[in-house]
Amino acid sequence: MKEISLSITYRLYSPSELCAADAELVEAARQATYSSYAPYSHFSVGAAVRLADGTLLSGSNQENAAYPSGLCAERTTLFYANSRYPEWAVHTLAIAARGSDGAFLTQPISPCGACRQVMLEVQHRHHQPLRILLCGTEAIVEFNRVEDLLPFSFDESFL
Ligand code: THU
């Protein structure tokens, strides 16, 4: 028997430490929470992506009375980005959320497993690392590649 450990790397920023381009992306993710359709959870999530050519797009969670038919903000945005601009890699994805009191969360939210799997596919299809910013009002967490959020993953190499 061998015990094997994997290590992941992430960086923690205070909002004032972000460069102008990242601050703009985070603000776009925050603004996108206002287009969320979340009558069931009252949890409004916004996502924004910067594509390799600099284009900025955003999206939000869209719920449904048949609960599993809804979609998270991250997948809404990534599917939109790849539908609209299939030729461009996604350089950075930023995620922000507001709770049922309408206030932005102070600490970053962490994406669900299904969204992580979709992020991995986006990274692989474009052969470029996808950078992720998880955004609270008091802290920003940065991952430079999806593997750090989804180690030991299933991908096309198994098929
Ligand atoms: N949600 C997202 O959009 N992204 C996440 O990272 C976590 C959860 C949505 C799904 C659902 O509409 C609501 O938040 C509550 O789970």
Side-chain angles (χ1 to χ4, degrees):
M1 193 273 272
K2 270 199 248 173
E3 185 173 274
I4 299 166
S5 299
L6 298 174
S7 75
I8 66 160
T9 303
Y10 66 91
R11 278 154 297 279
L12 191 58
Y13 294 86
S14 70
S16 61
E17 291 179 300
L18 294 180
C19 67
D22 284 346
E24 182 189 31
L25 194 65
V26 171
E27 183 53 28
R30 290 199 178 120
Q31 282 305 313
T33 63
Y34 293 104
S35 70
S36 157
Y37 178 65
Y40 307 106
S41 71
H42 305 288
F43 192 71
S44 301
V45 185
V49 289
R50 182 163 320 268
L51 305 185
D53 72 335
T55 302
L56 198 151
L57 301 169
S58 64
S60 54
N61 58 328
Q62 300 294 316
E63 297 185 351
N64 194 284
Y67 294 170
S69 300
L71 201 63
C72 292
E74 296 89 325
R75 277 175 288 163
T76 301
T77 306
L78 290 171
F79 289 147
Y80 173 57
N82 278 327
S83 304
R84 184 87 175 74
Y85 298 102
E87 71 277 31
W88 291 115
V90 179
H91 181 275
T92 305
L93 165 72
I95 306 156
R98 287 185 299 114
S100 54
D101 62 357
F104 285 104
L105 301 193
T106 55
Q107 294 307 311
I109 64 159
S110 210
C112 78
C115 288
R116 294 175 197 215
Q117 187 69 34
V118 169
M119 290 176 201
L120 188 70
E121 188 79 26
V122 170
Q123 181 176 276
H124 286 182
R125 79 178 265 184
H126 294 294
H127 310 289
Q128 273 192 48
L130 168 53
R131 184 171 163 259
I132 300 142
L133 298 174
L134 310 179
C135 313
T137 55
E138 291 177 1
I140 314 275
V141 172
E142 176 196 51
F143 292 89
N144 273 347
R145 49 184 204 145
V146 180
E147 294 90 312
D148 287 333
L149 266 174
L150 190 66
F152 226 81
S153 54
F154 180 82
D155 65 19
E156 70 281 1
S157 67
F158 292 104
L159 298 175

